[in-house]
Amino acid sequence: MKWFADRGHSVVGVEISELGIREFFTEQNLSYSEEPITEIPGTKAFKSSSGNISSYCCSIFDLPRTNIGTFDMIWDRGALVAINPADHKCYAVIMSSNLGKGFQYLMCVLSYDPTKHAGPPFCVLLAEIERLFSTVCNIRCLETVSYTHL
């Protein structure tokens, strides 16, 4: 997130763990403020003092109720693999509704034999990504990395 912000982008993050958000700001040596989001009980927004990084502490399924606008770029660094596969379609609808014109969407997923590990992280095959997002974007695999264990 800081990498994008350092290049002039406004960055919005969503994290279910308040500890994870606080650690991010601390590790990046960023001062921040926090405020409750009254529309979503228990939700907080953390904002960098510079104003270009905001992180919402909530479920991604609650986020669209806040007025955050659309995005030119999304980097999913582990959200889809953390979500129960039964909720993938709902997640795709939420993400698609937040995309601006000419957007870019980068996603990191894991593909493995699901009989050997039930998840999370859950296995997400290319066919699933195509099913979820092919109506809103062109999909291509940028890199595949093989590991000997999960």
Side-chain angles (χ1 to χ4, degrees):
M1 289 182 8
K2 186 167 184 314
W3 186 88
F4 288 113
D6 287 346
R7 281 148 185 80
H9 300 283
S10 293
V11 178
V12 175
V14 180
E15 172 62 54
I16 200 103
S17 166
E18 187 172 324
L19 177 62
I21 294 172
R22 291 182 189 283
E23 286 177 348
F24 165 77
F25 282 105
T26 300
E27 289 170 4
Q28 299 302 321
N29 198 28
L30 295 170
S31 58
Y32 64 94
S33 62
E34 60 182 89
E35 61 187 58
I37 304 297
T38 56
E39 305 94 302
I40 308 169
T43 298
K44 292 181 184 177
F46 294 77
K47 298 187 181 201
S48 66
S49 298
S50 61
N52 61 346
I53 300 177
S54 300
S55 192
Y56 292 85
C57 184
C58 65
S59 164
I60 189 71
F61 298 109
D62 293 331
L63 184 64
R65 287 185 258 163
T66 63
N67 186 15
I68 59 169
T70 59
F71 302 105
D72 298 326
M73 185 179 306
I74 293 178
W75 179 33
D76 176 338
R77 193 197 61 79
L80 188 59
V81 298
I83 294 170
N84 187 310
D87 295 325
H88 282 181
K89 182 63 177 170
C90 182
Y91 172 80
V93 168
I94 290 167
M95 299 311 286
S96 297
S97 70
N98 289 317
L99 297 171
K101 190 174 184 168
F103 69 91
Q104 292 183 345
Y105 195 134
L106 181 62
M107 180 182 297
C108 299
V109 298
L110 298 171
S111 298
Y112 56 84
D113 181 350
T115 63
K116 297 186 190 288
H117 178 73
F122 295 102
C123 173
V124 178
L125 300 173
L126 180 58
E128 174 72 349
I129 296 168
E130 290 172 344
R131 183 182 74 80
L132 295 171
F133 295 101
S134 65
T135 60
V136 295
C137 60
N138 296 319
I139 299 166
R140 66 180 178 165
C141 179
L142 298 178
E143 182 178 17
T144 301
V145 178
S146 296
Y147 294 96
T148 55
H149 65 282
L150 179 62

